[in-house]
Each structure stands twice: as C-alpha cells, then as structure tokens.
Amino acid sequence: MAEKKLKITQVRSIIGHPARQKRTMEALGLRRINHSREVVATPQVLGMIDKVKHLITVEEI
C-alpha cells in the first residue's frame, strides 16, 4: 500500500510564538513563509501538524 503524503506550507510567521512551536516547525522542515515540504503522514507528523495548524496549510498529494 502506498504511503499517504502531505504537502505542508508555512503561511504565518513564527515570531512571537512559543519556542516549542518554533522547534516543531523546524522539525517539520519549514524555515520561512511560503516554504513547502512533502512529508509522509505518520502519527508523529500528524501530531506535529496539529500543534502548529494555525501557522501552516496542509494538502494531500
């Protein structure tokens, strides 16, 4: 079975947000606004996405 992939894009700045959210964005591989990454939808990644959902957009690939 093929792995489910997601495209995540940072749409808001992390300035002024808690350090934990900044580290989560770094762990997802997002560095700046409009930066995108393709990630495999594992439970760990989905949890990280849920914690910073106000800073990113998510699309299924």
Side-chain angles (χ1 to χ4, degrees), residues 10-23:
Q10 182 175 344
V11 293
R12 293 194 59 206
S13 173
I14 60 173
I15 294 172
H17 287 85
R20 185 170 183 167
Q21 291 179 7
K22 292 178 184 182
R23 290 193 308 266

Side-chain angles (χ1 to χ4, degrees), residues 8-10 12-15 17-33 35-39 45 48-49 51-52 55-56:
I8 55 175
T9 305
Q10 182 175 344
R12 293 194 59 206
S13 173
I14 60 173
I15 294 172
H17 287 85
R20 185 170 183 167
Q21 291 179 7
K22 292 178 184 182
R23 290 193 308 266
T24 301
M25 294 293 280
E26 184 180 335
L28 287 170
L30 299 172
R31 299 172 178 263
R32 59 192 169 274
I33 294 176
H35 190 219
S36 296
R37 294 282 304 212
E38 290 184 9
V39 294
V45 169
M48 288 193 287
I49 288 172
K51 295 295 182 188
V52 293
L55 302 173
I56 62 175

Side-chain angles (χ1 to χ4, degrees), residues 47-60:
M48 288 193 287
I49 288 172
D50 190 52
K51 295 295 182 188
V52 293
K53 63 186 170 212
H54 56 289
L55 302 173
I56 62 175
T57 59
V58 182
E59 304 169 30
E60 280 192 44

